[in-house]
Amino acid sequence: MSTVCLCRRASKLVIGFDAVVGELSSKNFGGVLLASDVSAKTEKEVCFHAERHGKEVIKAEFSMDEAQTAIGKRAGVFLILDEGLYGSIKKHIAAE
């Protein structure tokens, strides 16, 4: 979660389903991160849109409530705009 907070402070984070889907086609980015308690329907739709643009989706260990506490906004879908930060998050999740 700390790396997601860093992304937010660096303006490298898009928050929320609609905003993420809108940005998928327009920018080069690292990847999509889902909260652990996001709905199955949302996960399916995000995966569909990300696959169309050749990007990976990973499921995080934090919930939407934990995201709200950390970044001030309750959401389950996040787009990391920086490849390096996304790689760091991916490595951390794989290690757990």
Side-chain angles (χ1 to χ4, degrees):
M1 193 75 233
S2 62
T3 308
V4 175
C5 292
L6 178 64
C7 292
R8 171 121 174 153
R9 280 184 259 133
S11 299
K12 299 291 183 182
L13 183 68
V14 177
I15 304 169
F17 177 82
D18 292 333
V20 167
V21 170
E23 291 289 322
L24 283 175
S25 62
S26 63
K27 290 192 177 189
N28 191 12
F29 57 89
V32 180
L33 185 64
L34 299 176
S36 60
D37 58 347
V38 74
S39 74
K41 181 181 182 226
T42 299
E43 183 175 356
K44 181 181 174 183
E45 288 186 35
V46 168
C47 288
F48 170 77
H49 289 289
E51 188 177 294
R52 282 184 39 209
H53 298 286
K55 290 298 180 178
E56 181 179 25
V57 177
I58 56 174
K59 202 149 189 181
E61 296 293 320
F62 60 84
S63 68
M64 289 189 277
D65 291 332
E66 292 169 331
Q68 181 178 12
T69 302
I71 62 173
K73 195 167 190 182
R74 189 173 195 279
V77 182
F78 305 92
L79 179 66
I80 310 299
L81 297 174
D82 185 88
E83 295 269 347
L85 291 170
Y86 181 73
S88 175
I89 292 169
K90 192 169 131 177
K91 216 181 294 182
H92 179 71
I93 289 174
E96 291 179 353

